[in-house]
Amino acid sequence: MLVLRALFLTLFVVYQANALAELEEVFAWKELTFDWPNEDAKNAAIKDGEYVPENNLPLGLDRWKNKLFVTVPRWKNGVAASLAYVPLDAPINKSATFIPYPDWKANTIPKGDTKPESDNHIISTFRVSVDPCDRLWVMDTGLADILGSPKQISPPAVVIYDLNTNTLLKRYTLKEHEDVKASSFFANIIVDVTKDNCDDAYAYLPDLGGYGVVVYSLKNNDSWRFKHNYFHFDPLNGDFNVGGVNFQWTDGVFGLALGPQDSTGFRTVYFHPLASLNEFSVSTSVLKNKTLADDPHIYNLFKLEGKKGDKTQTSASVFDEKSNSLILTQLNRDGVACWNPKKPLNSDNFALIAHDPEKLIFTNDIKIDDERNLWILSDKMPAFIYRKLNPQEVNYRILKVKVDDAIAGTPCVA
Ligand SMILES: *[C@@H]1O[C@H](CO)[C@@H](O)[C@H](O)[C@H]1NC(C)=O
Ligand SMILES: *[C@@H]1O[C@H](CO)[C@@H](O)[C@H](O)[C@H]1NC(C)=O
Ligand SMILES: *[C@@H]1O[C@H](CO)[C@@H](O)[C@H](O)[C@H]1NC(C)=O
């Protein structure tokens, strides 16, 4: 019995070792620095409390060519710029300085009670999305100092930039009552568009606090909101232990990932609430249809795919079409996992592909770029929110791995 057990444990360890991919640590920061116009501007910002280094936590990311976009939500006061990028030109500086995007002016909070002068501004953003038409989509919540003295500077809006010219294409403000509820919290944006039809783009905006999904159509300049029981959190799975911090969250629908197009041109959207172990799906033929948003008979158009397993709570997820794999952050397991929807979703087919009890503390966002690199941002956010980060340690990392290397040897490879 003991021998068998030892053998089993050995096999298990070997299997785990084979399954876990080696990640390249591309960036590692103790605290974030920004590309100020000059040293005087930086010192003035520190003096005025407009830049409090320890309050700047990177959270979301996406890549376009030699720019890696990183968001810095205004959780606390003193965020220098909420939208920035770090250059990917060689040689990469591992603790690179953040360059505000599109510029400093757009990232500057208006003084006192004044409103932003133009549509070209970003107050606070959690996640962004680069689309195949060289555009950057930003979900601007408009809310500053969330954990301190929250201030709604501008209403939640979808902001779109042309990446080739770095100019604003559009700012679409969500509808005050229809789209935005008192408890709304928009922390993610998923863009559904193909390169040959750039005008016909949709953005899906999960509302983790209001338990809904807002759909925005660029072509129709319109938005609508879906609600569904599956957008709610699971009260039995909102307990987290991450980086030595215990906390309870009620975050609902959070990650949406677009599966491959079917013969009708629509896609399966895989989605999950954050505080949940389940994965669900719905067709984009449903989400894109404004009429259905008000239809009370749509309950069965949303499906339960299955349960991922214990401690598998996920923030962001992405879909890799070539391998047909859904890739998901694993907040409660310091890692990243995958699942191939050709197989039923259960804990056997759900594989941990990256794990590191230090480097992957709170895998907040992931993205796949055009070269099929998987980018992972980890940022110790629970300690940032509930305790204090140690500025002598590396707190924020961005890591990279080829998708095929990440999923090799797992049930995700068909
Ligand atoms: C990397 O960037 C940091 C922050 O700007 C700077 O302090 C450091 O000198 C840079 N390192 C190199 C090797 O350029
Ligand atoms: C788009 O819709 C908003 C209202 O939601 C409106 O204020 C704006 O003028 C519209 N833009 C265009 C170009 O029609
Ligand atoms: C939206 O759904 C309704 C009800 O199923 C259907 O009648 C209508 O044709 C759909 N609209 C589009 C544009 O597909």
Side-chain angles (χ1 to χ4, degrees):
M1 202 46 204
L2 268 178
V3 174
L4 267 181
R5 207 174 138 185
L7 181 67
F8 173 78
L9 278 176
T10 314
L11 284 175
F12 181 74
V13 168
V14 169
Y15 173 74
Q16 284 270 311
N18 285 345
L20 291 178
E22 201 167 315
L23 309 179
E24 178 193 343
E25 187 178 86
V26 185
F27 295 101
W29 295 275
K30 293 175 177 169
E31 285 188 340
L32 301 186
T33 58
F34 290 82
D35 185 32
W36 299 93
N38 53 57
E39 201 63 15
D40 285 349
K42 176 182 151 186
N43 292 334
I46 291 174
K47 190 165 162 278
D48 296 345
E50 283 162 14
Y51 174 41
V52 181
E54 65 265 31
N55 289 356
N56 289 258
L57 171 109
L59 192 145
L61 85 173
D62 207 351
R63 179 194 177 180
W64 181 76
K65 297 187 177 173
N66 63 347
K67 289 187 171 81
L68 188 68
F69 290 96
V70 187
T71 67
V72 188
R74 292 189 191 271
W75 281 121
K76 304 180 183 179
N77 63 311
V79 168
S82 189
L83 179 60
Y85 70 92
V86 285
L88 292 175
D89 309 297
I92 286 182
N93 180 338
K94 267 187 95 166
S95 52
T97 291
F98 276 41
I99 303 170
Y101 189 88
D103 52 35
W104 271 110
K105 189 162 187 276
N107 277 278
T108 303
I109 298 208
K111 296 231 189 278
D113 285 329
T114 55
K115 293 286 161 197
E117 281 171 27
S118 81
D119 280 351
N120 184 10
H121 67 267
I122 303 292
I123 301 300
S124 182
T125 182
F126 287 77
R127 283 180 185 75
V128 293
S129 184
V130 169
D131 80 5
C133 307
D134 293 333
R135 295 175 299 204
L136 180 70
W137 296 62
V138 183
M139 178 64 228
D140 182 6
T141 65
L143 183 67
D145 203 1
I146 304 163
L147 301 172
S149 322
K151 196 170 164 195
Q152 192 76 48
I153 294 171
S154 52
V158 174
V159 187
I160 311 170
Y161 287 102
D162 178 335
L163 287 164
N164 286 309
T165 59
N166 304 319
T167 52
L168 179 74
L169 291 173
K170 175 130 191 176
R171 184 180 190 93
Y172 177 85
T173 299
L174 300 191
K175 294 173 188 168
E176 198 177 338
H177 301 293
E178 291 107 306
D179 296 341
V180 184
K181 306 294 172 188
S183 56
S184 281
F185 195 126
F186 294 98
N188 206 351
I189 180 164
I190 293 86
V191 181
D192 187 4
V193 64
T194 51
K195 211 181 167 74
D196 52 12
N197 206 352
C198 291
D199 291 339
D200 194 19
Y202 291 80
Y204 306 128
L205 313 166
D207 178 357
L208 70 91
Y211 310 125
V213 171
V214 174
V215 181
Y216 163 62
S217 161
L218 175 66
K219 191 163 80 178
N220 299 331
N221 187 45
D222 198 4
S223 56
W224 50 91
R225 183 184 172 98
F226 278 89
K227 57 182 183 173
H228 198 282
N229 282 359
Y230 296 170
F231 295 159
H232 290 247
F233 76 103
D234 172 0
L236 298 180
N237 285 296
D239 187 38
F240 294 79
N241 286 291
V242 187
V245 187
N246 174 245
F247 54 97
Q248 288 77 39
W249 279 358
T250 58
D251 295 20
V253 61
F254 199 103
L256 271 67
L258 301 173
Q261 272 185 319
D262 63 22
S263 54
T264 59
F266 292 110
R267 297 172 187 274
T268 300
V269 177
Y270 297 98
F271 70 90
H272 50 262
L274 186 147
S276 165
L277 307 181
N278 294 321
E279 192 71 24
F280 302 94
S281 68
V282 64
S283 168
T284 57
S285 66
V286 177
L287 296 182
K288 288 182 176 181
N289 188 327
K290 186 182 179 183
T291 315
L292 290 180
D294 297 316
D295 188 333
H297 306 295
I298 58 164
Y299 186 77
N300 291 314
L301 298 177
F302 292 70
K303 297 186 180 67
L304 171 67
E305 291 289 335
K307 190 175 167 187
K308 298 175 284 181
D310 287 344
K311 298 193 167 78
T312 56
Q313 288 92 343
T314 299
S315 56
S317 55
V318 283
F319 197 89
D320 176 59
E321 286 197 32
K322 190 137 187 239
S323 66
N324 200 58
S325 294
L326 182 68
I327 301 185
L328 313 93
T329 67
Q330 295 290 277
L331 304 178
N332 241 339
R333 301 204 292 172
D334 306 327
V336 176
C338 70
W339 166 56
N340 186 329
K342 288 210 174 89
K343 299 177 181 173
L345 177 54
N346 53 46
S347 53
D348 289 341
N349 290 332
F350 191 80
L352 194 65
I353 57 173
H355 168 75
D356 189 308
E358 172 59 28
K359 291 187 175 178
L360 295 180
I361 296 178
F362 214 79
T363 44
N364 213 329
D365 200 14
I366 51 171
K367 284 282 164 52
I368 297 173
D369 68 18
D370 289 346
E371 297 159 24
R372 292 181 68 233
N373 294 301
L374 175 69
W375 293 85
I376 304 166
L377 185 151
S378 65
D379 64 7
K380 300 185 182 172
M381 194 171 88
F384 172 84
I385 291 180
Y386 301 112
R387 294 183 182 173
K388 205 175 173 3
L389 292 175
N390 180 352
Q392 310 305 326
E393 288 175 0
V394 171
N395 290 305
Y396 322 122
R397 290 181 172 84
I398 291 178
L399 307 105
K400 187 175 90 165
V401 61
K402 292 277 178 200
V403 171
D404 290 327
D405 294 342
I407 64 174
T410 71
C412 301
V413 181

